[in-house]
Amino acid sequence: MRTTVTSLEGSRQNLFIAGRATEPQSGNYLKSYDPATGEAWYEFADAGAQDVDAAVAAARQAFADPAWRRMTQTDRGKLVRRLAELMLEHADQLAEIETRDNGKLIKEMRAQMRALPDSYTYFAGMADKLQGETIPVNKLDMINFTLREPIGVVGMITPWNSPLMLLTGTLAPCLAIGNTVVIKPSEHATASTLALMELITAAGFPPGVVNVVTGSGRTAGDALARHPGLAKIVFTGSTQTGRTIARNAADNLIPCQMELGGKSPHVVFGDVDIERTVNGVVAGVFAAAGQTCVAGSRCFVEAGIYDRFVEALVERTRKITLGHPMLETSDIGPLALLDQVSKVESYVASGLREGASVAAGGRRPQREDLAKGWYYEPTVLTGARNDMGFMRDELFGPVVGVMPFSSEDEMIALANDTRYGLASGIWTRDIDRAMRFATKVDAGTVWINTYRSAAFMSSMGGFKESGYGRRGGFDVMREFSRVKNVVLDYSGAMQDPFVIRLK
Ligand code: NAD
């Protein structure tokens, strides 16, 4: 792969349409910023509606082209497996690009990029295992069966927090099934998706099977979401944008998969090992500086251990090392956007006015070496209530609100008192209690004595305003294929159509 952080530095990147780097019709480019320094580091094309038209046309053409359409499922699987091999070979390079573009820690990105190819291999293996079924109908001399087919062009609109990882759970199955794709990555992190296209080409995917239109959400994203040439839209991002996209998709009567925000409850009972649980809660909310959709940002602690637990949580939080994302010693890097820092600051300030108290963090770090970057200290707010702004809305930053509960019923009511329903966690040694929580909590994922442990073999997805549809696992193969029912009469005699036989 020729693309590296060095080759991208100061460069101007074009759109990727029909297998070629393509200049935007407008000739306009946008700047991409390095969150660790706040400085622009490369430029990418600002696609408009005409560019999106061209990308969707290329994807439609590739979908119909026998080079892709008439490829056997086994051969498609081989291509996806080849892509996985190339990704593994270039994992560290992709990690460096991701870190430079969105400020995620290099050690986390290396681990993520080395793990992603396994997910592609998993779906590659499924390419020739998606089967239809034969249905035993109540008629003689007839076979009634289903075919599983690709659906067409899938539009994928992704956020900035983990562009390649979030793409995987839908791109890999789409390619294994035989769909074609147009991706619109976030304007805040385009580089890794563009770099991946080099590997798509090297793996041998026919031109047009995967296309990338970079640009702003309001222009490129909007044009893609409204495009009548799509068969489905996968959107990962905020609930607010998801609502707009779902409305636009409805005009074209196409289905969506919506992977939206969260405000996940993280519950701690009095029978736990405090040190282990504190580590779980800290990892659950502060990993990636809180910029994960599943962040356990509302922490409910059984009253009997509340004071001891908060003390241990604060102590552990204060030991977290903020630092440059390229340093192995950093536990938390910067936030990806300056706007995010302002948003977190304003929610913490309003939280204090609403009666919460800062027990740890609560400000930008006062360190010379971090002054230019978009950093915010990991923050514990006590005295939290569900009606406070920072407990109600997704901050997408390193802030956890903590409050005590006295009974299991109260805990369930508090956990479910949110418009989101993405993830949840519970720490207890009482398995009956954990199972009662798992059945009553309104969240698409429940973690028991662990948090943020995800696997591509199982699916993830949200309830309520966290969206709908699942990513990962075998079911996703069904979500990106369509069923066709075929009825075959082998009696050799067509009955008189106007004779109706009553039983
Ligand atoms: P965002 O909604 O601002 O943007 C996401 C994408 O949508 C970007 O590519 C953007 O350009 C595009 N977009 C913006 N406006 C658009 C419009 N009107 N039409 C079409 N496209 C448009 O989200 P973000 O700030 O990039 O990402 C953070 C959000 O993503 C958080 O809410 C987070 O919880 C969510 N997220 C969810 C999951 C999940 O799996 N549920 C995973 C990661 C992130």
Side-chain angles (χ1 to χ4, degrees):
M1 191 171 88
R2 287 195 315 277
T3 313
T4 60
V5 167
T6 317
S7 77
L8 282 168
E9 186 88 53
S11 74
R12 185 169 258 202
Q13 298 295 315
N14 284 310
L15 309 166
F16 184 76
I17 298 177
R20 281 190 306 275
T22 309
E23 287 182 13
Q25 301 268 348
S26 65
N28 293 338
Y29 290 80
L30 299 171
K31 287 181 181 6
S32 199
Y33 293 87
D34 176 347
T37 61
E39 283 163 14
W41 74 289
Y42 89 104
E43 291 185 359
F44 58 91
D46 185 12
Q50 280 177 300
D51 302 303
V52 172
D53 272 347
V56 175
R60 284 178 72 93
Q61 200 177 332
F63 185 71
D65 191 328
W68 183 241
R69 195 63 193 260
R70 307 246 335 130
M71 188 180 283
T72 65
Q73 284 301 109
T74 306
D75 284 344
R76 277 201 196 107
K78 283 182 192 160
L79 276 188
V80 178
R81 202 168 291 116
R82 178 73 192 124
L83 176 61
E85 287 162 3
L86 290 171
M87 286 178 78
L88 188 59
E89 228 171 90
H90 300 284
D92 290 358
Q93 224 167 305
L94 288 169
E96 280 172 24
I97 293 169
E98 197 86 290
T99 292
R100 184 68 193 273
D101 216 19
N102 71 1
K104 287 280 208 70
L105 294 181
I106 187 68
K107 59 186 178 191
E108 187 191 343
M109 288 303 101
R110 275 201 197 108
Q112 196 175 90
M113 294 305 148
R114 288 178 197 181
L116 282 190
D118 284 344
S119 175
Y120 280 85
T121 309
Y122 171 80
F123 287 108
M126 285 186 190
D128 52 10
K129 292 170 192 67
L130 188 64
Q131 300 170 345
E133 47 190 17
T134 309
I135 297 136
V137 287
N138 59 346
K139 293 189 172 57
L140 293 175
D141 302 329
M142 277 204 176
I143 299 179
N144 185 316
F145 60 98
T146 60
L147 299 176
R148 275 271 167 191
E149 300 178 333
I151 55 176
V153 181
V154 179
M156 297 182 181
I157 301 178
T158 56
W160 44 263
N161 59 327
S162 263
L164 288 193
M165 196 262 281
L166 293 165
L167 201 55
T168 303
T170 46
L171 179 61
C174 272
L175 295 177
I177 290 164
N179 296 307
T180 59
V181 175
V182 178
I183 304 166
K184 205 310 265 171
S186 165
E187 55 273 47
H188 305 299
T190 44
S192 59
T193 307
L194 288 170
L196 183 70
M197 293 309 111
E198 218 184 296
L199 302 184
I200 290 273
T201 304
F205 286 93
V209 169
V210 186
N211 307 274
V212 179
V213 282
T214 54
S216 75
R218 258 175 291 118
T219 50
D222 185 65
L224 185 60
R226 289 176 192 272
H227 207 289
L230 299 186
K232 183 163 184 160
I233 292 187
V234 181
F235 173 70
T236 311
S238 63
T239 296
Q240 193 188 355
T241 310
R243 236 186 263 283
T244 308
I245 291 178
R247 262 189 226 115
N248 290 335
D251 282 342
N252 292 319
L253 277 179
I254 60 166
C256 302
Q257 183 172 314
M258 287 283 154
E259 300 174 356
L260 311 178
K263 197 71 206 175
S264 300
H266 206 160
V267 174
V268 178
F269 272 91
D271 59 354
V272 297
D273 174 310
I274 290 195
E275 194 183 331
R276 177 179 165 208
T277 308
V278 161
N279 279 332
V281 169
V282 162
V285 68
F286 296 139
Q291 302 170 111
T292 65
C293 50
V294 295
S297 49
R298 294 183 304 135
C299 184
F300 303 107
V301 184
E302 196 169 18
I305 62 157
Y306 182 79
D307 290 341
R308 265 192 305 141
F309 186 85
V310 170
E311 195 182 319
L313 176 64
V314 168
E315 196 183 314
R316 181 68 191 84
T317 302
R318 290 199 176 127
K319 286 190 186 140
I320 292 172
T321 308
L322 248 76
H324 194 284
M326 286 302 282
L327 295 176
E328 295 283 339
T329 47
S330 304
D331 295 326
I332 289 188
L335 302 190
L337 316 176
L338 185 55
D339 281 356
Q340 277 296 116
V341 181
S342 315
K343 178 178 174 182
V344 170
E345 278 181 326
S346 116
Y347 270 99
V348 170
S350 65
L352 300 188
R353 287 196 299 277
E354 288 166 309
S357 311
V358 172
R363 56 178 193 174
R364 296 189 197 203
Q366 314 291 303
R367 272 168 46 192
E368 191 63 31
D369 59 325
L370 304 182
K372 280 170 70 191
W374 301 332
Y375 295 86
Y376 195 86
E377 287 187 357
T379 298
V380 177
L381 295 179
T382 52
R385 286 192 322 265
N386 272 344
D387 62 353
M388 295 176 171
F390 71 90
M391 292 287 274
R392 233 180 20 238
D393 299 337
E394 183 184 47
L395 267 55
F396 226 55
V399 178
V400 63
V402 197
M403 67 177 288
F405 67 87
S406 303
S407 71
E408 206 174 302
D409 285 347
E410 184 195 3
M411 175 276 290
I412 284 287
L414 288 170
N416 284 338
D417 178 20
T418 168
R419 61 180 189 277
Y420 294 110
L422 191 57
S424 61
I426 181 167
W427 295 78
T428 176
R429 289 187 178 142
D430 182 339
I431 191 64
D432 299 352
R433 181 153 63 195
M435 280 309 299
R436 283 195 293 275
F437 175 77
T439 54
K440 289 180 186 167
V441 72
D442 257 339
T445 294
V446 183
W447 283 299
I448 302 174
N449 296 335
T450 182
Y451 204 88
R452 280 188 86 234
S453 157
F456 49 83
M457 305 86 175
S458 70
S459 70
M460 282 200 71
F463 302 156
K464 294 155 72 177
E465 292 192 19
S466 292
Y468 46 84
R470 309 284 296 184
R471 181 179 60 220
F474 188 79
D475 278 353
V476 89
M477 296 292 281
R478 299 197 179 92
E479 293 215 17
F480 290 103
S481 58
R482 64 183 189 186
V483 175
K484 187 179 279 173
N485 191 257
V486 184
V487 183
L488 167 73
D489 182 333
Y490 60 94
S491 68
M494 185 67 201
Q495 304 292 335
D496 182 335
F498 301 109
V499 175
I500 297 171
R501 289 181 185 81
L502 297 175
K503 287 200 173 168

